[in-house]
Amino acid sequence: MLSFLSLCAPIFAIIGLGWAAARFRMVQPAMVDAVGTFSFHFALPALLLRLMGSQPLGHSFEPVFFAGYLAVCLSIFFATMLLALPWRRRGPAAALGAAAAMGNVGYLGPPLLLPLLGERGAGPIAMAIMSEVAVVLALGSLLMAPAMPGAGLRAMGRALRALLVNPVLLAIAGGALLGAAAIPLPGPVDRFLGFLGGAAGPTALFALGGTLGRLAVSRKLLAVAGGLSLAKLALYPLLVWLLLGVMLQRDGFWVQAGVMLAAMPTASNAFIMAQRNMAAAEEVSATVLLSTLLAAACFPLTAWLVTGPLAVP
């Protein structure tokens, strides 16, 4: 357990550094946004393209894992939404569902999983991004849109167009093609991608912390944020472990990867989507902050459990 804490502590410390820098106005919001843009548009795509392109597609992509992980993701999304519907309209209920189902797999996945699982961990990270970002983002945009004729379809159309030019998804597709064709990257290109991708972790974590520095958890929202954080950090990983490990009997590598990815805190993208659609933005904002704070302790515990007491052979 202590080894997992020592591994995760520096990663969450960088998030804390970004939070403090934004909270005490050592950096301006525009600077945090610029760091996040660099990480999302350049560093993270370079990292995923290089790692996925350097290994056979069958080594990094597992259809059963993808189907199982996506099934749990959608189950969490719709179950949370249905539970909220008696008290909320469709849009806010969908926003709460997204908060429980969308993890920060893009920013936190590489720095947390790659040291634990090695370069092969890029495959599960890519499949989790496709599940939680591509699928839930499109569904959330459709369901959160105002109840006006055609509004949902227009929102989903905008989301799908954004996904088609999403640099992370394009890098995943490019890496998968290189891996499938077994085309090695030329030495200078590999070194360039490695150097650029090396900046993905620190810049993403600092930008995440800076974004959290603008958010707050009010006492009146604590119960909602706590319930959603519990679903995201505990129920989601438990269901992934049950489905992939107990029911589908996947190899230990895939179970560990799936559970740890499911244990990621709520993504800031869920807040941006809720804010854009004016759907439970305050509740989702509080969940992003609270789940990230709790994940500093919960993620090492989950990683220890899934690689020790609850490990699948």
Side-chain angles (χ1 to χ4, degrees):
M1 179 62 179
L2 289 177
S3 61
F4 289 104
L5 284 170
S6 64
L7 177 66
C8 298
I11 293 168
F12 285 98
I14 297 176
I15 298 175
L17 181 65
W19 177 89
R23 200 71 172 178
F24 297 107
R25 301 186 180 180
M26 298 165 65
V27 295
Q28 298 300 314
M31 296 171 65
V32 174
D33 293 340
V35 172
T37 298
F38 166 78
S39 180
F40 182 77
H41 284 87
F42 300 101
L44 184 57
L47 174 69
L48 292 173
L49 177 63
R50 177 176 178 268
L51 291 181
M52 292 197 66
S54 65
Q55 50 191 305
L57 183 60
H59 197 61
S60 60
F61 182 77
E62 224 282 2
V64 177
F65 171 88
F66 179 61
Y69 192 92
L70 178 59
V72 176
C73 176
L74 293 177
S75 298
I76 291 287
F77 174 79
F78 284 114
T80 305
M81 181 179 172
L82 289 173
L83 285 172
L85 275 176
W87 296 276
R88 304 295 180 102
R89 299 190 311 276
R90 185 194 67 188
L96 298 181
M102 285 182 69
N104 221 322
V105 290
Y107 280 2
L108 280 171
L112 284 173
L113 256 69
L114 294 180
L116 291 170
L117 301 177
E119 293 190 352
R120 191 184 176 195
I125 292 170
M127 286 181 275
I129 290 174
M130 289 188 287
S131 299
E132 297 187 3
V133 176
V135 177
V136 175
L137 189 65
L139 274 175
S141 299
L142 174 65
L143 295 171
M144 286 185 216
M148 298 168 55
L153 292 176
R154 286 195 296 273
M156 190 171 186
R158 287 193 298 269
L160 291 175
R161 284 194 295 273
L163 291 174
L164 288 175
V165 295
N166 184 300
V168 174
L169 296 179
L170 289 175
I172 290 171
L177 288 174
L178 288 173
I183 300 175
L185 290 168
V189 175
D190 183 70
R191 288 192 295 273
F192 166 74
L193 293 176
F195 187 62
L196 181 59
T203 54
L205 296 171
F206 186 86
L208 173 59
T211 301
L212 295 176
R214 308 176 204 173
L215 308 180
V217 181
S218 67
R219 290 184 180 179
K220 67 176 183 178
L221 300 177
L222 197 55
V224 175
L228 292 172
S229 297
L230 181 65
K232 184 67 195 73
L233 301 177
L235 180 60
Y236 195 162
L238 176 61
L239 292 178
V240 168
W241 179 79
L242 287 171
L243 182 60
L244 294 180
V246 178
M247 297 176 64
L248 297 178
Q249 308 244 320
R250 292 295 93 190
D251 179 78
F253 168 82
W254 294 105
V255 178
Q256 292 167 12
V259 171
M260 287 189 280
L261 285 164
M264 299 289 166
T266 300
S268 52
N269 279 344
F271 165 65
I272 294 171
M273 187 164 55
Q275 187 181 49
R276 185 178 299 151
N277 290 284
M278 294 180 290
E282 289 187 350
E283 290 90 336
V284 177
S285 166
T287 304
V288 172
L289 180 54
L290 182 61
S291 65
T292 305
L293 292 173
L294 293 174
C298 291
F299 182 84
L301 175 61
T302 302
W304 172 72
L305 287 172
V306 81
T307 56
L310 301 179
V312 173

